[in-house]
Amino acid sequence: MTDQWTLYGQRFSNRLLIGSALYPSPQVMGDAIDASGAEIITVSLRRQSPEEAGGQSLWTHIQKLNKALLPNTAGCHSVKEAITLAQMSREMFETDWIKLEVVGDDYNLQPDPIGTVEAAEKLINLGFKVFPYCTDDLVICQRLRDVGCEVLMPWGSPIGTGRGLMNPYNLQTIRERLPDMPLIVDAGIGKPSHAVMALELGYDGILLNTAVAQASDPVLMARAFRDAIAAGRQGYLAGAMPERQTASPSTPTLGMPFWHQQ
């Protein structure tokens, strides 16, 4: 089944975006990303700068994978800091794509909603193609759309928690109110079943890192997420049966058994 999707004018077949941090080794990272089928890798200039000797091995592995790169502004706490890091990332990684993160709270790493909207608008004016990481707040998502974001990435739950979709209602509301906007669940995904749920809600993709990188077997978990995302997407496209309050037999009880019928 061919089911491509488009992000800022580029078409992709795989709906998993995967991170490049926290793996036991660069080799395991490369093997896991290959197993996932992901076509987009998130990278952090702070962790993987090609200029630093400690990041050279990792950067070499990333280059060999020949994937689209999505640099991020992880760890930034202000609009100014995020914009500066985005500009450095554009020069280093040679892409206008940026995953925008502006941390608002150090306890649960919740994105700063006001700072994220402000930074997004400024970055778009500077020619960036912004992928904003935000909470599952409909109004914030609408504001990000209004300032020019063409993709939104609301969280499933706080980053690194693995708690899955804590507020399915909020996520579903965003999907219904922004029907034509590419939506990616970013953060909180811990199990393949979480990814299935997100795709069944109509979300277009998943961005994750820790769930694969810190699994006991990252390569096997990457395959599991690849298959889960495909299953969730196909389930959404197939159209699930409606939920009912009462039982409905799958085998009719009225009339003659079919083998008695002429």
Side-chain angles (χ1 to χ4, degrees), residues 3-25:
D3 179 33
Q4 294 187 325
W5 61 319
T6 302
L7 299 172
Y8 283 108
Q10 295 191 42
R11 297 181 69 81
F12 299 94
S13 299
N14 187 287
R15 293 174 178 270
L16 174 61
L17 292 73
I18 195 165
S20 54
L22 304 176
Y23 292 89
S25 70

Side-chain angles (χ1 to χ4, degrees), residues 74-190:
C76 292
H77 288 75
S78 69
V79 172
K80 181 179 180 181
E81 189 180 8
I83 292 174
T84 299
L85 190 59
Q87 291 172 319
M88 293 171 62
S89 296
R90 177 160 62 180
E91 182 177 349
M92 187 66 67
F93 296 115
E94 299 180 341
T95 178
D96 290 330
W97 282 21
I98 192 73
K99 176 188 172 184
L100 175 61
E101 301 181 38
V102 182
V103 178
D105 181 83
D106 286 326
Y107 177 74
N108 66 357
L109 301 179
Q110 178 174 326
D112 176 350
I114 299 171
T116 300
V117 173
E118 182 181 346
E121 184 172 17
K122 291 183 177 180
L123 286 169
I124 288 168
N125 289 336
L126 290 171
F128 284 91
K129 297 175 174 63
V130 179
F131 293 67
Y133 167 54
C134 58
T135 58
D136 52 356
D137 183 294
L138 173 63
V139 175
I140 292 301
C141 287
Q142 291 173 325
R143 295 291 184 271
L144 288 165
R145 175 203 59 191
D146 293 345
V147 300
C149 293
E150 296 182 17
V151 179
L152 298 177
M153 302 201 303
W155 71 0
S157 52
I159 190 168
T161 63
R163 297 176 64 89
L165 310 186
M166 294 185 65
N167 293 295
Y169 172 80
N170 288 7
L171 292 171
Q172 186 172 13
T173 300
I174 294 169
R175 175 71 287 171
E176 291 173 354
R177 296 293 300 277
L178 302 173
D180 301 320
M181 175 79 69
L183 298 177
I184 300 168
V185 172
D186 177 12
I189 299 295

Side-chain angles (χ1 to χ4, degrees), residues 214-256:
Q214 296 194 341
S216 298
D217 186 336
V219 176
L220 183 58
M221 185 62 78
R223 292 194 193 104
F225 271 105
R226 178 196 64 196
D227 295 343
I229 289 171
R233 176 63 179 173
Q234 290 177 40
Y236 171 72
L237 293 175
M241 63 169 283
E243 294 184 4
R244 302 187 178 100
Q245 292 295 324
T246 58
S248 177
S250 57
T251 302
T253 57
L254 298 177
M256 296 277 292

